[in-house]
């Protein structure tokens, strides 16, 4: 373990290296470019490969290709690039290719404000592709969490044989903090599983008891067949209704039924509080300070800081909110997580959104004001 | 894994019959690729059939070796990552003219520029067959298709010249009629390190042949035979005349440093 004073983007790259990732493909875009720059300098030293592709579509394609070649692989982008990547992220979900996608969120719709932070790609992460699917998305709120959740993201990608999205933002990405960098031997690292049957008997999409297939790699003795079409256990296309139904069920089940393996929310402040804040990423930093000040002032307030936004941690939130009279959702968008909270929280518990969409971040004072404002 | 001696060992016979129409040229091109793999003694676990979307996109399920069936147009970008991870793998990208020249045009140019170790077999059937016979960039001007009932009002694309200019190590073109030449070109393409591109004019009696009154499968073969001119003759034609003919021959055969070799120079350990 060593201490380093680094920015969030660098911490993400370091987390990726420590998790064993040796392939990065990307396309320059603010505010994610430092992640690519760091990889271009450091990956070759580790015997890895940095590729600068012709666009974001090609970047995620190359990442999926490298993963199918047996490497742990990742890309980093922001809003416009994330939009371009969607079709191939859907491919990775369908063909069950482990990979990690960093979306360093910037402000706004379309090209927005390239250098300002945003938190408005939450629903895009969940539903950006066509077709039903389940995706894992993590939200670091500090530079340390950029490192920790990146390691976790690569582990989850292998564990679930799935793409994993890490949603940071321009503020966390450029924030510099002193953090602990752990070496691989100090971390729990999940490696790619290897087929345990003979090449003759191998079926790439035969799921284990947890619903996860064991993918071989191109160039391996076990012949691998992948497609974005609905496919059977052999990887061959099929349009039979029973094949469609069982594949769609399995793709959802393999993640949704194992949510307790995903990074749980962190809780700060008074337990079983009357007022519970729910926030994530950079917004949760202001919320945490506001909760601290509110507690000192005698208010019964707590904060749930989401580390996993997708699948939405419904059960844990419900548990933390069991004594709550009201919930305040603090987020820099027009209410994307608020809607999820409203979906799972039933009346008479009140849900109060505290939203900010002016390209600036939250300050503790305005969160504290909101906490006081909703008290009766 | 033992290396098969016959092309038949590279075909997954349990998957047949294929879904291609009677008279389609895809089977000829696929067989030619299998013949070359057997001739070159490439082990099935060291070969990959990469495809995109459309008729050609189904080729991977008929082979006994590794296959990748990607999103429309992006196959060569996927293959760039695959090649980086598995530089020894023989990658054959079996793509249609729409996949290569339209939606995937940018990736084609950049894969050629990077000189990635891939052999592209571009099956040019002059239209989007799988989805009903719409015109593609390679459809000749004035051709009838399901989206150009009055005749296509654009010139076609010279993909071989583009790929050659972009930096490929090997570029050649022929037709599914000229099978001996096809085998030779594919063998040279796979044997040449770096990016190789073979354009294969193919028969589509179901749509292109029918819409343009060329006839059925045998007539389309006659048509390919008659339309194809040797490269030297073809090059002399004015652009309007070129639209009425198909070239066959080699454009480029060279040994620029390939993508993997250049990548390895970046790695300092």
């Amino acid at each position: 373990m060593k201490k380093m004073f680094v920015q969030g983007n660098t911490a993400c790259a370091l987390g990726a290296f420590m998790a064993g990732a040796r392939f990065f493909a990307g396309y320059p875009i603010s505010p994610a470019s430092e992640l690519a720059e760091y990889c271009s300098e450091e990956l070759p030293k580790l015997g890895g490969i940095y590729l600068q592709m012709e666009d974001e579509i090609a970047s995620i394609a190359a990442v999926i290709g490298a993963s199918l070649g047996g490497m742990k692989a990742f890309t980093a982008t922001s809003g416009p690039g994330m939009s371009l990547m969607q079709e191939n992220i859907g491919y990775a979900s369908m063909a069950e290719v482990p990979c990690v996608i960093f979306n360093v969120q910037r402000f706004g719709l379309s090209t927005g404000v390239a250098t300002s932070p945003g938190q408005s790609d939450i629903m895009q992460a969940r539903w950006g592709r066509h077709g039903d699917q389940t995706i894992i998305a993590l939200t670091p709120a500090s530079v340390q969490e950029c490192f920790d959740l990146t390691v976790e993201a690569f582990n989850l990608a292998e564990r679930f044989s799935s793409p994993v999205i890490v949603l940071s933002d321009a503020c966390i990405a450029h924030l510099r903090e002193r953090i602990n960098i752990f070496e691989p031997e100090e971390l729990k690292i999940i490696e790619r599983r290897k087929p345990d049957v003979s090449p003759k008997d191998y079926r790439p999409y035969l799921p284990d008891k947890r619903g996860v297939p064991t993918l071989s790699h191109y160039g391996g003795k076990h012949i691998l067949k992948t497609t974005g079409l609905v496919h059977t256990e052999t990887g061959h296309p099929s349009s039979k209704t029973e094949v469609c139904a069982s594949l769609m069920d399995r793709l959802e089940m393999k993640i949704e039924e194992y949510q307790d393996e995903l990074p749980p929310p962190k809780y700060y402040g008074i337990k079983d509080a009357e007022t519970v804040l729910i926030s994530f990423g950079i917004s949760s930093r202001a919320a945490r300070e506001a909760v601290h000040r509110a507690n000192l002032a005698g208010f019964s307030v707590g904060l749930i800081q989401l580390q996993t936004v997708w699948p939405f941690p419904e059960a844990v939130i419900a548990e933390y909110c069991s004594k709550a009279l009201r919930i305040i959702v603090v987020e820099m968008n027009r209410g994307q997580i608020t809607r999820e909270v409203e979906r799972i929280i039933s009346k008479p518990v009140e849900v109060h959104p505290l939203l900010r969409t002016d390209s600036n971040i939250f300050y503790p004072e305005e969160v504290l004001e909101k906490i006081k404002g909703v008290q009766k | 894994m033992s290396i098969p001696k016959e092309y038949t060992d590279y075909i997954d016979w349990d998957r047949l019959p294929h879904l291609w129409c009677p008279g389609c040229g895809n089977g000829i091109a696929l067989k030619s690729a299998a013949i070359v793999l057997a001739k070159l003694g490439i082990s099935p676990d060291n070969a990959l059939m990469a495809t995109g979307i459309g008729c050609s996109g189904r080729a991977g399920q008929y082979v006994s070796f590794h296959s990748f069936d990607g999103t429309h147009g992006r196959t060569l970008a996927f293959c760039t990552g695959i090649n980086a991870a598995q530089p020894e793998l023989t990658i054959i990208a079996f793509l249609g003219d729409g996949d290569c020249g339209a939606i995937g045009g940018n990736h084609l140019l950049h894969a050629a520029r990077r000189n990635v170790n891939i052999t592209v077999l571009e099956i040019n059937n002059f239209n989007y067959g799988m989805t009903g016979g719409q015109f593609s960039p390679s459809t000749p001007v004035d051709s009838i298709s399901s989206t150009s009932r009055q005749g296509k009002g654009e010139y076609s694309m010279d993909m071989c010249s583009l790929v050659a200019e972009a930096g490929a190590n090997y570029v050649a073109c022929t037709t599914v009629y000229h099978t001996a030449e096809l085998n030779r070109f594919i063998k040279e393409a796979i044997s040449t390190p770096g990016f190789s591109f073979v354009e294969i004019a193919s028969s589509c009696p179901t749509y292109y042949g029918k819409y343009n009154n060329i006839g059925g499968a045998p007539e389309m073969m006659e048509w390919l035979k008659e339309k194809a001119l040797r490269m030297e003759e073809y090059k002399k034609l004015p652009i309007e005349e070129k639209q009425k003919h198909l070239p066959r021959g080699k454009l480029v055969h060279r040994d620029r440093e390939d993508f993997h070799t250049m990548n390895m120079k970046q790695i300092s350990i």
Side-chain angles (χ1 to χ4, degrees):
Chain A
M1 195 268 282
K2 61 185 170 193
K3 300 269 185 193
M4 281 178 86
F5 184 69
V6 291
Q7 61 162 272
N9 275 338
T10 309
C12 288
L14 286 165
F17 302 160
M18 294 307 174
R22 290 293 180 270
F23 182 93
F24 177 95
Y27 187 82
I29 186 168
S30 296
S33 294
E34 295 87 356
L35 219 161
E37 287 166 354
Y38 193 71
C39 288
S40 74
E41 203 174 338
E42 296 301 320
L43 266 177
K45 295 181 195 167
L46 298 167
I49 291 167
Y50 167 84
L51 286 187
Q52 195 160 300
M53 297 301 287
E54 52 270 25
D55 55 32
E56 286 88 348
I57 300 172
S59 301
I60 181 66
V63 163
I64 293 166
S67 181
L68 289 170
M71 295 181 90
K72 288 186 178 178
F74 64 115
T75 186
T77 188
S78 190
M82 193 65 180
S83 293
L84 287 177
M85 288 186 185
Q86 295 298 329
E87 186 193 12
N88 284 342
I89 295 174
Y91 183 94
S93 281
M94 184 61 144
E96 302 181 70
V97 186
C99 58
V100 174
I101 302 114
F102 292 95
N103 176 2
V104 183
Q105 295 173 94
R106 61 195 229 183
F107 179 77
L109 172 68
S110 188
T111 32
V113 180
T115 50
S116 293
Q119 290 187 320
S120 51
D121 301 346
I122 305 299
M123 280 297 170
Q124 184 203 39
R126 180 66 188 87
W127 297 113
R129 282 76 54 202
H130 57 277
D132 286 322
Q133 76 233 248
T134 291
I135 193 95
I136 298 169
L138 310 180
T139 48
S142 66
V143 179
Q144 184 69 56
E145 284 178 10
C146 282
F147 179 87
D148 296 344
L149 290 181
T150 296
V151 173
E152 195 61 41
F154 279 93
N155 282 344
L156 295 170
E158 298 298 335
R159 157 66 183 86
F160 291 100
S161 209
S162 168
V164 174
I165 296 171
V166 178
L167 292 164
S168 75
D169 62 71
C171 193
I172 291 290
H174 294 153
L175 179 68
R176 284 168 198 270
E177 292 179 301
R178 193 168 135 90
I179 65 162
N180 297 325
I181 303 289
F182 298 97
E183 297 295 324
E185 43 291 359
E186 300 170 292
L187 296 162
K188 181 184 160 240
I189 302 293
I190 300 179
E191 299 299 346
R192 187 74 50 91
R193 294 192 304 172
K194 291 185 170 60
D196 57 359
V197 295
S198 72
K200 191 171 64 66
D201 296 325
Y202 177 62
R203 281 178 285 167
Y205 289 95
L206 178 71
D208 66 7
K209 61 181 191 307
R210 297 185 298 186
V212 180
T214 304
L215 297 191
S216 165
H217 62 82
Y218 294 138
K221 299 285 175 209
H222 297 76
I223 298 300
L224 176 60
K225 296 197 162 297
T226 60
T227 176
L229 293 164
V230 169
H231 47 272
T232 63
E233 288 172 354
T234 58
H236 288 108
S238 171
S239 53
K240 287 183 180 157
T241 52
E242 62 270 26
V243 176
C244 294
S246 72
L247 179 62
M248 296 319 292
D249 285 349
R250 183 174 65 74
L251 289 178
E252 182 176 294
M253 177 279 286
K254 74 168 182 177
I255 296 173
E256 298 279 351
E257 289 189 7
Y258 297 89
Q259 276 191 53
D260 55 353
E261 294 183 34
L262 304 176
K266 290 181 177 175
Y267 191 90
Y268 298 102
I270 291 188
K271 295 273 177 306
D272 298 325
E274 290 178 5
T275 303
V276 175
L277 277 63
I278 298 176
S279 191
F280 57 93
I282 188 65
S283 297
S284 68
R285 301 286 288 263
R288 190 176 162 188
E289 174 61 20
V291 165
H292 176 66
R293 291 185 200 174
N295 286 164
L296 290 179
F299 291 101
S300 171
V301 186
L303 165 68
I304 299 171
Q305 180 219 320
L306 305 176
Q307 292 197 101
T308 302
V309 281
W310 303 121
F312 198 62
E314 300 180 14
V316 189
I317 289 174
E319 205 178 306
Y320 278 131
C321 295
S322 60
K323 302 277 164 49
L325 304 175
R326 61 192 78 84
I327 292 168
I328 303 173
V329 185
V330 187
E331 54 180 335
M332 284 154 51
N333 59 52
R334 309 293 281 188
Q336 297 184 23
I337 289 295
T338 304
R339 189 172 295 187
E340 283 298 294
V341 174
E342 284 170 343
R343 183 174 64 79
I344 62 166
I345 297 294
S346 48
K347 284 184 177 174
V349 180
E350 303 160 13
V351 177
H352 300 274
L354 176 60
L355 312 177
R356 183 153 195 174
T357 50
D358 64 352
S359 84
N360 206 342
I361 57 169
F362 280 106
Y363 290 84
E365 293 73 25
E366 59 190 304
V367 184
L368 188 59
E369 200 176 308
K370 182 77 176 180
I371 292 170
K372 289 175 179 167
V374 298
Q375 308 292 324
K376 293 203 172 117
Chain B
M1 197 171 276
S2 63
I3 296 169
K5 298 210 166 35
E6 301 294 330
Y7 86 88
T8 48
D9 296 318
Y10 292 86
I11 303 295
D12 185 350
W13 297 92
D14 293 341
R15 301 294 306 168
L16 300 181
H18 57 67
L19 54 61
W20 295 320
C21 305
C24 172
N26 276 340
I28 298 170
L30 183 62
K31 179 179 173 180
S32 187
I35 288 170
V36 172
L37 287 172
K39 206 173 276 182
L40 294 175
I42 293 168
S43 171
D45 55 14
N46 202 33
L48 171 71
M49 178 64 75
T51 60
I53 300 297
C55 304
S56 59
R58 298 307 180 105
Q61 61 179 298
Y62 305 128
V63 300
S64 60
F65 47 101
H66 293 287
S67 68
F68 171 82
D69 172 24
T71 49
H72 198 18
R74 317 301 171 194
T75 304
L76 297 177
F78 285 102
C79 289
T80 303
I82 297 169
N83 179 249
Q86 291 290 334
E88 301 305 317
L89 188 69
T90 296
I91 303 177
I92 298 173
F94 196 89
L95 305 172
D97 42 316
D99 231 322
C100 267
I103 189 166
N106 196 28
H107 307 305
L108 177 68
L109 292 182
H110 285 277
R113 172 181 67 79
R114 293 190 181 96
N115 211 13
V116 188
N117 204 345
I118 305 167
T119 294
V120 177
L121 305 182
E122 185 238 323
I123 317 300
N124 179 11
N125 65 355
F126 308 101
N127 72 116
Y128 293 91
M130 184 68 94
T131 189
Q134 299 79 19
F135 72 83
S136 81
S138 72
T139 309
V141 69
D142 296 334
S143 291
I144 312 295
S145 75
S146 68
T147 47
S148 61
R149 299 279 181 186
Q150 304 83 0
K152 185 188 172 194
E154 300 169 4
Y155 283 125
S156 66
M157 189 176 201
D158 182 352
M159 258 181 269
C160 286
S161 297
L162 279 171
V163 172
E165 282 299 314
N169 263 358
Y170 185 90
V171 180
C173 49
T174 184
T175 83
V176 291
Y177 174 81
H178 302 86
T179 50
E181 187 173 68
L182 180 60
N183 291 350
R184 191 169 77 248
F185 285 170
I186 294 178
K187 189 175 171 213
E188 287 176 352
I190 292 176
S191 306
T192 306
F195 196 76
S196 299
F197 186 81
V198 182
E199 181 167 65
I200 305 165
S202 183
S203 50
C204 178
T206 304
Y207 290 114
Y208 190 76
K210 188 176 76 181
Y211 280 132
N212 294 284
N213 295 319
I214 296 168
E219 291 79 14
M220 271 223 92
M221 278 294 169
E222 284 292 330
W223 180 81
L224 287 171
K225 179 186 168 189
E226 283 162 20
K227 288 281 167 188
L229 297 178
R230 292 205 168 275
M231 189 61 75
E232 313 79 70
E233 294 172 60
Y234 179 81
K235 275 186 176 167
K236 290 178 197 153
L237 298 175
I239 185 167
E240 295 78 12
E241 282 300 306
K242 278 182 175 157
Q243 294 287 314
K244 297 173 190 162
H245 290 280
L246 302 165
R248 64 185 182 93
K250 257 188 282 184
L251 281 84
V252 166
H253 196 173
R254 59 191 165 200
D255 60 352
R256 279 172 71 237
E257 250 179 344
D258 66 69
F259 170 73
H260 174 65
T261 308
M262 294 188 80
N263 265 343
M264 285 304 105
K265 285 185 179 173
Q266 299 278 314
I267 295 175
S268 52
I269 57 163

